[in-house]
Amino acid sequence: MSMALSGPEVGPQAEALALAALVRDCVTSGVERRALHLRLSALPEALRETRHRQMIDEVLAPVMRPTRARRFELPGGDLVIVSPPPGQHLEEVHAALSRLLPEATDGPLSTTMRLPAEGARLLSVVEGAMGLVLQRESASPTDVLPLPSATELEAALRALATADLAAALRNHPIWRLGDGQATPTPLWTETRVHLPDLMERLLPGASLAGAPALGRLFRRAAERRLLAELARPQVARAMDPACLPLSLGSVTETEGLRFDAALGPAGREQLVICVPLSDVLADPAGAALAARLARERGWTLGLDELEPWHLARMDLRALDPGLIRLRFRAEWLAGSVAERAALDASLPRDRDRVVLMGADAPVAIAWAWQRGITAFMGKVLDARR
Amino acid sequence: MKPAISDVRATLRALPPDSLVLAMPDLPDPMARRIALAFLEDAAAQGGGHVMPWPRAQLLLGAAPGAAARAGEALHRLIGARPTTWTLPSEAAELDDWLDRLPAPAPQPTTLVALEAHCAALPMEEVARLTFFAEGPDPRAVAQRLAPADLPLEDPDLRAQARALLCRRVLAALTDPALRGRLPAMRPGLRLLLDLPLAGLPGGRMVGGGRGGRDAPIALLPLAALAEPRFPALAQGLAAAGWHTGFVSKDAEAAGLLVGGGYVLAAPPPAAPPALPPLGDAPRFIALGRDIPAWCRAPGLLWEVPA
């Protein structure tokens, strides 16, 4: 497996890359390893002098000598020692260093991990050290923008009826990458209208974040335009396997039903339409109708924009979605053992139906593989083709 | 310009003998209406004939029997309604009679501007509705719900927006002594169920919840609130102020969607949903409407009773 990152051949950056490759190989092949992570980057400045480092090296020395242990120094100063099992010596060093090192407020400075079980956790350490920390969700700046007036919004909806959407369309491949495979195979191409672009163009300086119903009206108007375009016979006939994230209302709009008709049975067979969970909750009867329509016509209805805590609160059996799209969150790796167990328990049992979105870093893939999830959308996969 | 009834009749009379006419009366749900139209169009594409959409019904003129039957079966599975079939000219009189009895569709405020103006201009007396609820087998009212008026809007998103607009007017009136008297008079001693908009709570916090327990007032949020990222914080704020949180949905399907805590106010399904949360201080289910199935009269469930 190769990573699409290039870097120096020696030094902490290279060592971090080598460690990431080793962890992924362990996850892929199932080879057991023990790892010790020393979070020296979190030491207070006063304890980072050369003599302190020499002390730590002295403690580590006996571990390195007799075994096949490998030592990696990461950017920022963290050390990771990887050794074949049973790794008794790592535990001893861990115990010795835990006594030696001061207590940090944000967690222990010395941690042992088992590979491949905790591969995702160790990869997140590596990526954190490399400055690849996944973007945590922050308050979006659009939240503070005012709602447009009804007159402005209505003008925007009218403009959408004839707008040229080409510049606002986004296509992304969705891949299958089985556990251990190096090269992904394409499953579907996602086509969506990028609403922020349209908002910027038609309602600059305004946001619909504060009024979900108005947001859905805007989205439906944009999708009517998209669906009218896709329903043109020459477009519909040439369509590859597609995943369309749509508002629930769009599925049964006149344009949506025309698109369904234009695809024909073969085209519908390879179509997935994913509707957001919020739309399902806003219109449960409409969602049930869309599920029946999907079965009747032969396309697949999926659920979009799901968070694991939704899955814990929802009973989706009546809807029986053929696909569930979850967006990967870096927080999933950071939670306590109990939190991670609760997350795993909430995942659908049929993992073949899950697509992990936002797979922008190898940790996401390692996390998914450990849970039997093999369908992805994200930058890491795109880079491998 | 939509055809008038006289145009429809003229078209029907011009059909060749032994023509089949498939007719689906105007359905109240716009989704079902559009699906019916799509399947009639599909039947026309497969077996011939042409579709005539008309405000009171959708007609497929000159249908082929096989394609018409298939469309009828599919529609029955999907929307629970079947188009009626007539053979012309032998059944022309019956068809005429059927056409005459179709009600004219209710006018809809179709634009946002019109909807906003309508919600702002609605007299205070018509903005809110007060309904009463009993608990368990005893039909005496133990709770009252102050809710925004339910406007007969077809579009689910326009309906949700109208609810948000009217909710805000009800809340504003509750906190304004000059307007409070124009809301329906609430009965003392009954537990309060209050509909809230998802966004824009007055001052961002709720007060006056009391000490919780079985008399705690219940804040009713749209079921879609559950998918909102800000929902956990909102529910926490409500709980801290002594309110329970419930979810409103007009659909019976809503009852089967929720697992665990929380409860739904919905038109109750004929049979109890399998996943009713365990009995606690909060009612597990609040049944809305006048046709309440017997399972809703179990302890711990609230059901709507006449005032």
Side-chain angles (χ1 to χ4, degrees):
Chain A
M1 273 196 287
S2 65
M3 231 166 120
L5 286 168
S6 59
E9 308 214 331
V10 288
Q13 196 78 15
E15 288 192 26
L17 279 178
L19 176 58
L22 186 144
V23 174
R24 280 199 309 274
D25 285 346
C26 285
V27 170
T28 312
S29 59
V31 170
E32 293 256 333
R33 288 285 181 272
R34 300 288 178 270
L36 174 70
H37 173 215
L38 298 178
R39 215 153 52 88
L40 304 183
S41 61
L43 278 179
E45 206 54 47
L47 292 177
R48 297 177 83 168
E49 292 168 24
T50 317
R51 61 192 173 95
H52 296 117
R53 184 51 185 270
Q54 279 169 352
M55 210 160 69
I56 290 167
D57 284 346
E58 274 168 34
V59 177
L60 289 177
V63 181
M64 304 303 300
R65 245 176 279 127
T67 63
R68 287 179 288 137
R70 284 179 69 185
R71 170 188 163 132
F72 300 86
E73 182 161 349
L74 304 182
D78 282 11
L79 280 182
V80 174
I81 316 287
V82 180
S83 152
Q88 186 56 37
H89 48 283
L90 283 192
E91 292 296 338
E92 285 160 14
V93 171
H94 169 61
L97 284 173
S98 297
R99 283 192 298 274
L100 190 69
L101 294 170
E103 288 202 358
T105 50
D106 58 343
L109 292 177
S110 171
T111 319
T112 56
M113 291 176 225
R114 302 165 75 94
L115 296 178
E118 292 176 286
R121 207 170 143 212
L122 186 51
L123 272 180
S124 73
V125 167
V126 179
E127 305 218 329
M130 290 174 77
L132 280 180
V133 178
L134 299 171
Q135 287 276 312
R136 303 234 165 188
E137 262 197 304
S138 54
S140 152
T142 55
D143 281 357
V144 294
L145 295 176
L147 277 175
S149 74
T151 317
E152 288 164 343
L153 179 52
E154 205 137 81
L157 296 180
R158 270 197 306 275
L160 276 175
T162 53
D164 179 7
L165 289 188
L169 285 186
R170 297 284 186 278
N171 291 309
H172 281 291
I174 297 175
W175 306 101
R176 172 81 70 201
L177 184 67
D179 198 342
Q181 287 175 348
T183 316
T185 47
L187 286 172
W188 300 280
T189 302
E190 182 202 87
T191 299
R192 69 156 73 227
V193 189
H194 190 62
L195 295 174
D197 273 11
L198 286 179
M199 279 295 294
E200 185 63 40
R201 198 159 102 203
L202 296 169
L203 292 165
S207 163
L208 296 170
L214 298 183
R216 280 196 293 272
L217 281 176
F218 187 85
R219 180 172 178 179
R220 278 167 52 196
E223 289 172 350
R224 276 198 294 271
R225 188 83 188 96
L226 168 68
L227 287 164
E229 175 64 25
L230 295 179
R232 286 169 49 211
Q234 63 274 35
V235 179
R237 272 199 298 270
M239 200 141 172
D240 290 324
C243 174
L244 297 183
L246 291 177
S247 176
L248 173 62
S250 297
V251 175
T252 50
E253 294 273 16
T254 306
E255 289 80 356
L257 295 164
R258 291 229 169 96
F259 168 62
D260 166 295
L263 273 181
R268 289 194 288 268
E269 188 90 353
Q270 46 183 11
L271 169 71
V272 183
I273 293 180
C274 290
V275 301
L277 178 71
S278 52
D279 287 20
V280 170
L281 296 176
D283 188 6
L289 176 57
R292 290 196 297 275
L293 184 66
R295 279 195 288 275
E296 184 74 38
R297 304 291 285 171
W299 47 268
T300 303
L301 180 69
L303 274 184
D304 219 354
E305 294 164 35
L306 276 175
E307 302 282 347
W309 65 276
H310 292 146
L311 288 168
R313 292 215 61 175
M314 299 287 146
D315 185 347
L316 299 172
R317 275 172 302 180
L319 221 51
D320 190 26
L323 203 72
I324 283 182
R325 299 211 308 172
L326 288 175
R327 184 168 290 281
F328 180 73
R329 305 239 178 259
E331 296 93 287
W332 297 351
L333 306 171
S336 67
V337 175
E339 280 167 348
R340 279 180 283 141
L343 167 64
D344 289 352
S346 69
L347 292 174
R349 258 189 224 123
D350 188 357
R351 302 288 158 88
D352 272 350
R353 292 189 184 191
V354 180
V355 175
L356 190 69
M357 297 164 67
D360 294 336
V363 266
I365 303 201
W367 180 90
W369 279 355
Q370 284 169 18
R371 285 152 188 85
I373 297 169
T374 56
F376 300 96
M377 193 168 114
K379 292 185 193 121
V380 198
L381 281 292
D382 302 349
R384 285 192 188 182
R385 286 291 286 210
Chain B
M1 190 67 191
K2 296 272 169 90
I5 194 163
S6 51
D7 302 337
V8 175
R9 289 223 168 86
T11 312
L12 290 173
R13 273 188 214 104
L15 288 176
D18 292 328
S19 289
L20 274 188
V21 173
L22 229 63
M24 192 67 146
D26 185 37
L27 297 160
D29 174 9
M31 280 192 183
R33 190 161 64 228
R34 288 193 293 264
I35 287 175
L37 182 61
F39 276 78
L40 293 187
E41 277 172 352
D42 203 40
Q46 285 176 24
H50 81 272
V51 175
M52 183 172 193
W54 174 51
R56 296 186 195 185
Q58 294 155 346
L59 305 168
L60 168 56
L61 315 179
R70 280 195 298 278
E73 285 309 311
L75 285 174
H76 181 65
R77 282 193 296 273
L78 279 172
I79 58 177
R82 241 186 261 267
T84 328
T85 311
W86 279 279
T87 311
L88 293 185
S90 57
E91 295 175 309
E94 288 98 318
L95 178 53
D96 263 0
D97 193 39
W98 186 82
L99 290 172
D100 278 336
R101 279 186 282 115
L102 289 175
Q108 291 277 318
T110 46
T111 70
L112 262 180
V113 176
L115 178 69
E116 211 162 82
H118 179 77
C119 289
L122 211 58
M124 202 62 233
E125 287 76 7
E126 292 173 35
V127 166
R129 256 167 26 101
L130 192 64
T131 48
F132 298 92
F133 293 83
E135 182 177 349
D138 186 351
R140 272 179 307 180
V142 295
Q144 54 193 332
R145 174 190 180 200
L146 187 64
D150 197 10
L151 300 185
L153 293 163
E154 288 184 345
D155 186 289
D157 295 328
L158 286 181
R159 199 163 52 228
Q161 181 61 12
R163 179 187 181 278
L165 293 171
L166 294 180
C167 266
R168 257 172 244 142
R169 284 196 65 194
V170 173
L171 286 179
L174 276 174
T175 52
D176 181 344
L179 289 175
R180 204 180 304 153
R182 296 175 62 194
L183 288 172
M186 287 192 276
R187 292 190 204 159
L190 295 188
R191 189 178 196 178
L192 176 64
L193 282 65
L194 181 64
D195 282 60
L196 294 182
L198 180 54
L201 288 183
R205 74 180 68 171
M206 294 293 289
V207 289
R211 286 186 301 277
R214 290 178 60 80
D215 293 326
I218 301 170
L220 298 173
L221 293 166
L223 184 58
L226 204 53
E228 284 280 313
R230 69 195 129 166
F231 170 72
L234 185 59
Q236 219 167 28
L238 284 165
W243 288 69
H244 286 307
T245 308
F247 300 104
V248 188
S249 174
K250 63 170 181 45
D251 296 334
E253 286 85 349
L257 282 175
L258 270 190
V259 178
Y263 42 95
V264 186
L265 183 74
L276 276 181
L279 194 55
D281 285 338
R284 297 174 295 164
F285 188 82
I286 306 176
L288 183 68
R290 285 293 149 82
D291 277 329
I292 306 282
W295 68 264
C296 295
R297 303 187 182 192
L301 310 189
L302 291 177
W303 49 284
E304 193 172 339
V305 289

